[in-house]
Amino acid sequence: MSFLGELLSTLFDRTPLSFGLSSKADQPIDAMMEALVKTNGETAGLALSRSILTQYDGLDDNAKIALFEHLAEKMNINPEDVETSLKNYNQNPNKKTYQAFMQAAEPRRQELFRRLNHAPGATAFLVRMRADLLRLGRGKPQLEALDLDLKHLFVSWFNRGFLVLRRVSWQSPAHILEKIIAYEAVHAIDSWDDLRRRMEPEDRRCFAFFHPSMPDEPLIFVEVALTHGIANSIQVILAENREVIAGDTADTAVFYSISNCQAGLAGISFGNSLIKQVAADLAQEWPGLKTFVTLSPIPKLAAWSKDMGIDLAAQNPDQLKSMAAHYLLNAKSHGQWPYDPVARFHLGNGAMIHALHGDADLSEKGIAQSGGMMVNYLYDLKSVESNQDKFAEEQVIKSASDISTWAEKFAPSI
Amino acid sequence: MSFLGELLSTLFDRTPLSFGLSSKADQPIDAMMEALVKTNGETAGLALSRSILTQYDGLDDNAKIALFEHLAEKMNINPEDVETSLKNYNQNPNKKTYQAFMQAAEPRRQELFRRLNHAPGATAFLVRMRADLLRLGRGKPQLEALDLDLKHLFVSWFNRGFLVLRRVSWQSPAHILEKIIAYEAVHAIDSWDDLRRRMEPEDRRCFAFFHPSMPDEPLIFVEVALTHGIANSIQVILAENREVIAGDTADTAVFYSISNCQAGLAGISFGNSLIKQVAADLAQEWPGLKTFVTLSPIPKLAAWSKDMGIDLAAQNPDQLKSMAAHYLLNAKSHGQWPYDPVARFHLGNGAMIHALHGDADLSEKGIAQSGGMMVNYLYDLKSVESNQDKFAEEQVIKSASDISTWAEKFAPSI
Amino acid sequence: MSFLGELLSTLFDRTPLSFGLSSKADQPIDAMMEALVKTNGETAGLALSRSILTQYDGLDDNAKIALFEHLAEKMNINPEDVETSLKNYNQNPNKKTYQAFMQAAEPRRQELFRRLNHAPGATAFLVRMRADLLRLGRGKPQLEALDLDLKHLFVSWFNRGFLVLRRVSWQSPAHILEKIIAYEAVHAIDSWDDLRRRMEPEDRRCFAFFHPSMPDEPLIFVEVALTHGIANSIQVILAENREVIAGDTADTAVFYSISNCQAGLAGISFGNSLIKQVAADLAQEWPGLKTFVTLSPIPKLAAWSKDMGIDLAAQNPDQLKSMAAHYLLNAKSHGQWPYDPVARFHLGNGAMIHALHGDADLSEKGIAQSGGMMVNYLYDLKSVESNQDKFAEEQVIKSASDISTWAEKFAPSI
Amino acid sequence: MSFLGELLSTLFDRTPLSFGLSSKADQPIDAMMEALVKTNGETAGLALSRSILTQYDGLDDNAKIALFEHLAEKMNINPEDVETSLKNYNQNPNKKTYQAFMQAAEPRRQELFRRLNHAPGATAFLVRMRADLLRLGRGKPQLEALDLDLKHLFVSWFNRGFLVLRRVSWQSPAHILEKIIAYEAVHAIDSWDDLRRRMEPEDRRCFAFFHPSMPDEPLIFVEVALTHGIANSIQVILAENREVIAGDTADTAVFYSISNCQAGLAGISFGNSLIKQVAADLAQEWPGLKTFVTLSPIPKLAAWSKDMGIDLAAQNPDQLKSMAAHYLLNAKSHGQWPYDPVARFHLGNGAMIHALHGDADLSEKGIAQSGGMMVNYLYDLKSVESNQDKFAEEQVIKSASDISTWAEKFAPSI
């Protein structure tokens, strides 16, 4: 399949089209956006797209907000058109009336985004633009609505079928690796030596999803340790002088860090696929692996306990553990869903709560967010799908039997 | 950029997910489609997608029509929901109301298609499915409307920003080359030796667009001859014993064949981009190239002349030439656009009519469709964009001065 | 390891050195060869090498012979220098005296060949040159001796450690595949369709050795059929309408054709490594494979029987089989080694004679050379090494028990 | 040419041969070496090679010396055999007698080394072994002579025709980049950030030679700065906050660091080819480049001046400059060749002395070795070959006119 490989390596190597220069490509950005939606010309369109990309990068936040507002207002659907076209379609459903309805029901900015994407490198640009929009639009109903259009497009473009799972290793390009350093959000990588300890040994793995149009940008990545038995602290996993084990003697794969890389892809979920695909790949490479488990933070335990009026620091180890068990099983937000976002993610994927470990993350951040407690979520091949269904439909949280025992003992010092 | 290359070479190499088997994956295809749209589970979804793909391939045409009708009726928009959600949005435009509207205005089958695409290889499947739909749905208003949903998705997925231009040569994989043989629609390739004559010599080139998710399938390709001056017949270009010229002595690139490969991508235009990108690439590789020109068939000349009551075979060479000139400049369909589809394509891209050649295609097909006449459309770097605009807005057809002179002499024998 | 891949893809893409032009590069070829051995300059050397390569390709056979004779005489060792330097080394063995000896004992033409090889593409050139030498030098003692120098160099350059085993498939480049067609020496490939039947189905494999400096030239290749049980005729394997079996159901790999590709690499043995490496790779890919066996011609049976005064065509099937068994076990050439070259090869690799099949190759060639008989040589993982040793040291031929039974029945009609 | 790429990416991915285990592979290393030279078996040979490689890596220096002495004595040529075979050849020169001579004149250890190289990864092993030999054999006549055999083989294996020139950049694999850090011998790279400053900006380049069989090991590399005019200090080139210039505005390529990477390849010259090939490649990529020049240390200036009884530190800037000019033009070693090794290298390649710069390397090392002086050697496209010839034949050192003027002023403070 190297043909594909070589084929794609030219994705961004396009020779600039030299067919004329568009005189329209030197106007205010909103005017160029209007022109881009209207133009018939490929060359003109590309010239406009390039100018828009360049001009956008020079805008300050206020100008960006103004631009987003322009998109939200001036390139929105026209409700009357929707209504009329819907009526026509209803009376006479055929290709023509349906096309008219589709066109009316889709705001023009969607076509704008699609056309912008014709320019080389534009996909990454649009992802950055959405990151701006999410940051600047918070609390502004119009802009929050506008975001749905970008998100709708991204759900289509970043379809699982277009993503590529790829191992990242010490043999990967440095410009990719430095992004792993930058994007690691759970247990910070503090140097190239630290990175190397996570990438090079044969009992350490890292996998990421990439999109063909953003080949230099990982979308999400997971770090995995192959171990004998389930690791009970992050210190053990990240220790500088630990002994490397032979991959074919490992019985357990510990997913100890998952990081989303692109703020502009918020809400477009990859993590679910990533973990399962990585588990499937590892199981095939190392038939000895029997257990697939996370070693996860409990990021909101401290926040929740504070809300409860409980002083996390005042709890003895057993109290802490029973509090964590209670919290994971019973604390809810949005009504029925687990309060803890990491719990929500893994339980939503069909994992179960397997074990709790005190003094498992002694970093400043680990102590602050959960008093050092960490949790293993277990991906059990046989039950992951039924777990997922029960959690989705009835919010059933599956856990090892002693977790509920610990939860029942919940009696914090106050 | 080889990282990208290698990255993508794994696109279809996914290890099957081994997390459970979905019991839903063994039902009638329409039931599975309903289940797929509703499921929360990644694994269940993949299992359903795979079953749907497999089952679909076993359907006969009647069953396919029934399935399409199911999609058209049962997974359509609900007009009342659209209306209600539109009203709510109108009264209170915010994220929530807009989301409700978006959801109502998009038929559920679009989500179905996106989910189907999660499975490895599904993009090519969906393209084949649309080919079926176009073939089977002709004249059925419901199915023609249904096609708009697939087309809408494909316009987004096959966005120019995601396409890869790639040279196809004698060093390309045989399984790609055999598709070039199969898909050549203008001047049939009758053997591997014929193919080789078009691929191997240094004065012959072939370029194709590919999509990362269908790496084994060219989408469209163009064949180019590098020449001294403008070739005046296809026989000269395809001659078995012609003398190969050194690429760096050529002054002209003749685009002598353009073929769309995927019936399922009808109406999603790539040709425009292809020709311009190839011209830009060739100009960079061979700075000596000054002229970019097609050698094109006139596929509907015979059909039009028959409609006019003119016997093509009865014309002398000059009559034929003046008729062709008149036809290209003046014969219209759909009101204002050129009657000839190839003319429509190149003029729409900003090319001009440059020259007419008699006895230029002496193949049976060439004689039958145009009495052997062929035409050069010239892509003039300096004027292509303004040509394109004038054609799009005012239907102005630019041509070399003697073309209109010939057209004025139009006086066929009847 | 894609870095390597990309790294090597530039092997022949060298920008010509533009540092001056050598005035020496326009002389008779033997003068340039002398100049090349003497020059200090990289650029001058490259210019000379290129000129030599070009001039050589224009020589006729007589001129080539003259050139080889020049190399044999004028660039030979000087026996007196060898003697003197050997004496000095003997008296005072150190770096300086050893170096002097090494230099005297190696003819200057070896340095010439090494320097010629600096030019891009020169390795393939030297291989072709040796093919000429072998063809033109036959029976000429001087030139046969000269060949030993080229062979000595090639043994070093085409060291197993530098060879790359590579699957050739229907996804391989056409310019490689056409060489497979050209080089197939056992069962001719008569069309691209025939090639495709051997390359594309999942129960057919082809593997070749390549050298990094001749990436477009297979050195040797083997064709393999994955089967249920051992195939008893080549017709069964090459049948156009045979049923393809699933690779993971196969229990046997049949090596049905092995072809050397480069006349200029005669005597540099790769076949041994190739078969064993391919068997190891197949065994890893398809753990169900238990038997690795050839389906081989008996190319000299007819020639031998004629020498014996036996009319091959007059034998009934049993007589033919007993004759073949007798021939394989007992007919010798060069004193102790099997008369049959294919037998010599496989027995020398440690295979054993497993079974004989009549009417197994009904092609004209098959009938002519062995009356249609073919033989399976079995590569038995457990005994291949001890077989190899016993054959090498004591000329023991291992065979299935019924082979010797058949041989004992040898009683041809005369 | 991606077929080559992919082809080679499997170079080290060999499936271990599973055909039996050699009982010979568990003996003392010298016995295994004897066995390896004698064996007929591919599998046995590989098993022996692997065992030898493994056992060697566990030897201490004394054991290595003993092993080298074994090779020097027991696997040496036999002078009597050489003499006899030479006499036979002389009397009757033909293939057989010449072969006998060749065999006698080549010590058995050369065959040993070739056979060792059959094992995957063995080339890098043999290079490391030679590094040991050079280190441990210094001053031991036998071992110095032994080294000539390894060197002879390496000259053949690392033939320019087999080397691959490759850009190393910030997109290269981290495991290659860390070797660049480790091997940089001129201006140390002190961190990944420092490395990045030399690899990533568009006006910085790094190129290395690789060998297909050691794809993870650069052999030699050069670092290049694209500049406006000739840089007059290394500080300017390595400054952290310098302004990056656009590659297409540069007129000069400054080769500011060349480092050999493999101690075991000492004496096998690549640098000559490297500089010229890189210059040719850069000239093609950036037609604006007109000047190709080094910025080189003068590593032995201080040592020489000390020998002369001159105190380097006591000279004023002008005295230092005139001393450096005098030194480069007139100081000799080995009779006629420049005393300075870097001067010897570049003048031997055909460069000329272009300019001297004081305070050009203010690092501790720069001050210590040359009082901070550096020199530009100019590679002038038009004269490089004639310079090279004149230097090689008559030791003529070409220099800019003011260099000799400075040299004439040589009047150091003592």
Side-chain angles (χ1 to χ4, degrees), chain A residues 181 184 187-195 197-198 240:
Chain A
I181 296 180
E184 161 65 69
H187 306 292
I189 301 175
D190 58 27
S191 68
W192 282 84
D193 283 339
D194 187 0
L195 176 75
R197 283 194 297 273
R198 304 191 194 192
E240 289 196 21

Side-chain angles (χ1 to χ4, degrees), chain B residues 267-292:
Chain B
I268 292 141
S269 168
F270 313 117
N272 183 351
S273 298
L274 179 67
I275 292 180
K276 289 177 187 168
Q277 191 66 51
V278 166
D281 284 8
L282 287 173
Q284 197 181 51
E285 186 181 356
W286 305 111
L289 291 176
K290 299 302 174 208
T291 307
F292 297 89

Side-chain angles (χ1 to χ4, degrees), chain D residues 240-394:
Chain D
E240 289 195 23
N241 299 316
R242 66 180 193 81
E243 205 173 325
V244 173
I245 69 170
D248 55 7
T249 70
D251 53 22
T252 304
V254 180
F255 296 72
Y256 67 90
S257 181
I258 304 176
S259 298
N260 278 298
C261 305
Q262 308 294 331
L265 292 176
I268 292 142
S269 171
F270 314 117
N272 183 351
S273 298
L274 179 67
I275 292 181
K276 290 176 188 168
Q277 191 66 52
V278 167
D281 285 7
L282 287 172
Q284 196 180 52
E285 185 181 357
W286 306 110
L289 290 176
K290 300 301 175 210
T291 307
F292 298 88
V293 78
T294 74
L295 181 62
S296 299
I298 312 176
K300 296 289 180 197
L301 181 59
W304 172 84
S305 71
K306 201 174 160 204
D307 284 356
M308 294 286 116
I310 308 171
D311 179 6
L312 199 72
Q315 312 304 315
N316 68 31
D318 278 4
Q319 285 175 313
L320 198 57
K321 192 165 180 178
S322 69
M323 182 164 77
H326 171 77
Y327 164 79
L328 290 173
L329 288 178
N330 303 315
K332 305 288 179 185
S333 68
H334 306 293
Q336 74 252 43
W337 303 107
Y339 187 95
D340 195 82
V342 173
R344 221 150 55 219
F345 174 73
H346 289 297
L347 297 172
N349 289 344
M352 58 178 284
I353 303 173
H354 180 71
L356 284 162
H357 305 287
D359 290 345
D361 181 358
L362 298 176
S363 71
E364 208 172 316
K365 182 178 166 191
I367 296 294
Q369 69 188 9
S370 63
M373 289 297 298
M374 297 189 84
V375 56
N376 300 127
Y377 298 101
L378 179 74
Y379 282 79
D380 175 27
L381 310 190
K382 291 185 301 296
S383 59
V384 73
E385 193 180 0
S386 69
N387 291 350
Q388 187 168 26
D389 281 354
K390 280 184 202 150
F391 181 78
E393 284 154 29
E394 312 164 40

Side-chain angles (χ1 to χ4, degrees), chain A residues 306-317:
Chain A
K306 200 173 161 202
D307 284 357
M308 295 287 117
I310 307 171
D311 179 6
L312 199 72
Q315 313 303 315
N316 68 31

Side-chain angles (χ1 to χ4, degrees), chain B residues 223-284:
Chain B
E223 294 167 71
V224 188
L226 305 183
T227 58
H228 296 148
I230 296 179
N232 63 4
S233 87
I234 194 66
Q235 294 89 254
V236 166
I237 285 178
L238 299 181
E240 288 196 24
N241 298 316
R242 66 181 192 81
E243 205 174 327
V244 173
I245 69 171
D248 54 8
T249 69
D251 52 22
T252 303
V254 180
F255 296 71
Y256 67 90
S257 181
I258 304 176
S259 299
N260 278 298
C261 306
Q262 308 294 331
L265 293 176
I268 292 141
S269 168
F270 313 117
N272 183 351
S273 298
L274 179 67
I275 292 180
K276 289 177 187 168
Q277 191 66 51
V278 166
D281 284 8
L282 287 173
Q284 197 181 51

Side-chain angles (χ1 to χ4, degrees), chain A residues 343-365:
Chain A
R344 220 150 55 220
F345 173 73
H346 290 298
L347 297 171
N349 290 345
M352 59 178 283
I353 302 174
H354 179 72
L356 283 162
H357 306 286
D359 290 344
D361 180 358
L362 299 175
S363 71
E364 207 172 317
K365 182 178 167 192

Side-chain angles (χ1 to χ4, degrees), chain D residues 8-182:
Chain D
L8 289 156
S9 69
T10 58
L11 207 59
F12 282 164
D13 281 352
R14 282 200 243 157
T15 313
L17 293 178
S18 50
F19 289 89
L21 283 173
S22 178
S23 53
K24 300 164 199 148
D26 196 27
Q27 305 169 33
I29 192 165
D30 49 358
M32 291 197 293
M33 285 178 162
E34 293 289 342
L36 178 56
V37 173
K38 281 172 197 146
T39 187
N40 296 294
E42 157 102 355
T43 322
L46 272 178
L48 285 164
S49 297
R50 284 219 186 78
S51 293
I52 291 168
L53 269 58
T54 310
Q55 225 181 91
Y56 180 88
D57 281 334
L59 299 183
D60 64 19
D61 281 355
N62 286 332
K64 286 177 180 172
I65 291 174
L67 181 68
F68 293 145
E69 285 170 349
H70 176 88
L71 294 177
E73 284 164 34
K74 299 289 160 51
M75 298 187 114
N76 200 358
I77 53 164
N78 180 336
E80 283 157 44
D81 290 353
V82 180
E83 223 166 322
T84 314
S85 63
L86 180 64
K87 202 176 296 170
N88 290 339
Y89 173 65
N90 235 345
Q91 286 166 356
N92 188 11
N94 61 27
K95 183 174 178 178
K96 204 169 163 186
T97 55
Y98 185 55
Q99 184 155 35
F101 167 72
M102 281 178 83
Q103 211 163 337
E106 185 188 86
R108 288 189 308 141
R109 57 201 176 219
Q110 287 209 22
E111 178 64 15
L112 171 70
F113 299 142
R114 281 193 296 266
R115 290 189 175 205
L116 277 173
N117 194 51
H118 290 197
T123 310
F125 166 82
L126 289 167
V127 170
R128 286 197 311 274
M129 193 173 92
R130 182 167 177 245
D132 286 343
L133 177 58
L134 288 170
R135 181 172 55 86
L136 300 169
R138 211 162 288 143
K140 300 194 177 70
Q142 258 192 332
L143 301 196
E144 289 182 348
L146 168 64
D147 173 57
L148 291 173
D149 287 301
L150 267 178
K151 189 179 168 186
H152 182 257
L153 222 52
F154 287 3
V155 164
S156 192
W157 288 352
F158 291 88
N159 189 296
R160 172 65 186 95
F162 300 143
L163 300 187
V164 184
L165 179 69
R166 184 83 180 102
R167 185 171 173 202
V168 178
S169 78
W170 190 240
Q171 309 214 351
S172 298
H175 77 291
I176 300 288
L177 290 174
E178 71 175 343
K179 283 175 183 158
I180 297 294
I181 296 179

